[in-house]
Amino acid sequence: MKVAFIGLGNMGGGMAANLVKAGHEVRAFDLSPEALDRAKDNGCAVFGTVQEAVADAEAVVSMLPNGAIVDAVYGADVIGHAPKGALFLDCSTIDVDTARKVTKAAESAGYEMVDAPVSGGIAAANGGTLTFMVGGTDNAFARAEPILAAMGKAVIHAGASGAGQAAKICNNMLLGASMIATCETFKLAEKLGLDLQTFYDISSKASGQNWSMTSYCPVPGVGPQSPADNGYQGGFAAALMLKDLKLAMEAAASVDAIVPMGEKAASLYEAFARYGSGGMDFSGIIKTL
């Protein structure tokens, strides 16, 4: 397929490259010349504007920083500029209301659209092992699934429009809170005199086992390779975790949900980012505990 890819940052660059590897003709756009150069090296055709990139596309994939940008890009440069009948796949993490608003506008103009935020981080984006949580109609999901499968290991239909975003923010609220609890636990174990590898060997096989411990351990040299082994660089930036936690808090307020653990996680990541650590991997919050 001819696939336009809008947004070639840390996540989007690897995702676009995997579409090329799967045999798609990728038409790439980003505001960064460096990102466009990397996309070109990865086999993408590059364009100077969004409108040029989407002009002949059968599908448009976007990976953008926030809901306001998604709304603006689709409203000004994608809807009405991509061929009628093209499929839109927004893989950004944004608020549910904006996802539904943009999808409604697309559908009104004769397009199908899914919201398909991702879980997995930069390594998974580069390796093609992302998990996609997809909101949209059954027909739109059926069209989107083979495109998303070229970039991920799991593509799950979460429900109607906006459901992908709802699943993503709920998942990342849980991740943020569990990472902090995991960090606290390792620091407590250390202060109580436990060897941290020994504690990992015990807890990873006991009832305290969780993903933040066994797949993404925040302690250097313990568990599988993780950003902790690289000075907490790479992976999933704390600033992005904070963004997702804020989206979760907004969503919780909109439906009168009580989320005290989520609120505490958001406040701790806000303090972490405020002191200049927003670019560090989110597991680096262990350094503050």
Side-chain angles (χ1 to χ4, degrees):
M1 295 179 66
K2 291 183 178 180
V3 181
F5 203 109
I6 313 303
L8 303 164
N10 289 332
M11 297 291 290
M15 293 165 67
N18 283 318
L19 288 175
V20 173
K21 292 175 186 176
H24 296 292
E25 179 184 330
V26 179
R27 304 164 58 85
F29 171 80
D30 194 278
L31 292 173
S32 164
E34 292 80 8
L36 288 176
D37 287 342
R38 287 193 297 271
K40 189 174 182 179
D41 290 342
N42 287 329
C44 300
V46 300
F47 294 84
T49 68
V50 173
Q51 293 183 16
E52 291 173 332
V54 306
D56 295 317
E58 299 167 82
V60 178
V61 180
S62 52
M63 193 59 157
L64 299 167
N66 58 54
I69 294 174
V70 170
D71 191 11
V73 168
Y74 275 89
D77 298 311
V78 178
I79 296 172
H81 298 280
K84 284 290 178 67
L87 174 67
F88 300 158
L89 307 88
D90 181 41
C91 298
S92 319
T93 297
I94 63 174
D95 61 284
V96 174
D97 288 344
T98 298
R100 289 173 176 164
K101 174 189 174 185
V102 175
T103 297
K104 184 176 180 180
E107 291 174 345
S108 296
Y111 303 93
E112 288 189 298
M113 184 169 187
V114 297
D115 50 284
V118 308
S119 177
I122 296 170
N126 292 335
T129 58
L130 293 167
T131 293
F132 290 90
M133 309 155 218
V134 188
T137 66
D138 289 343
N139 191 64
F141 175 76
R143 292 179 65 192
E145 187 173 18
I147 300 171
L148 297 173
M151 302 181 285
K153 65 178 181 180
V155 181
I156 303 167
H157 193 189
S161 175
Q165 298 297 347
K168 172 64 185 287
I169 61 177
C170 288
N171 178 79
N172 276 23
M173 184 177 76
L174 178 59
L175 174 60
S178 67
M179 177 56 79
I180 291 170
T182 299
C183 292
E184 286 182 344
T185 301
F186 272 103
K187 296 305 289 186
L188 175 60
E190 183 179 48
K191 290 184 177 182
L192 291 173
L194 287 170
D195 175 76
L196 295 187
Q197 181 63 56
T198 301
F199 174 68
Y200 174 88
D201 293 342
I202 294 168
S203 195
S204 64
K205 297 176 180 64
S207 55
Q209 186 277 331
N210 65 85
W211 187 91
S212 293
M213 174 186 292
T214 55
S215 295
Y216 211 87
C217 188
V219 179
V222 177
Q225 186 81 14
S226 73
D229 299 304
N230 189 38
Y232 301 98
Q233 299 303 307
F236 184 54
L240 296 178
M241 173 56 78
L242 177 59
K243 169 198 164 186
D244 291 357
L245 288 168
K246 286 182 174 179
L247 288 173
M249 296 307 98
E250 292 169 6
S254 74
V255 293
D256 296 323
I258 299 172
V259 287
M261 296 298 289
E263 289 176 356
K264 186 62 176 177
S267 69
L268 288 172
Y269 273 106
E270 187 164 27
F272 186 49
R274 187 185 306 127
Y275 291 110
S277 300
M280 186 179 292
D281 183 75
F282 81 111
S283 63
I285 199 166
I286 193 172
K287 296 169 72 67
T288 71
L289 298 171

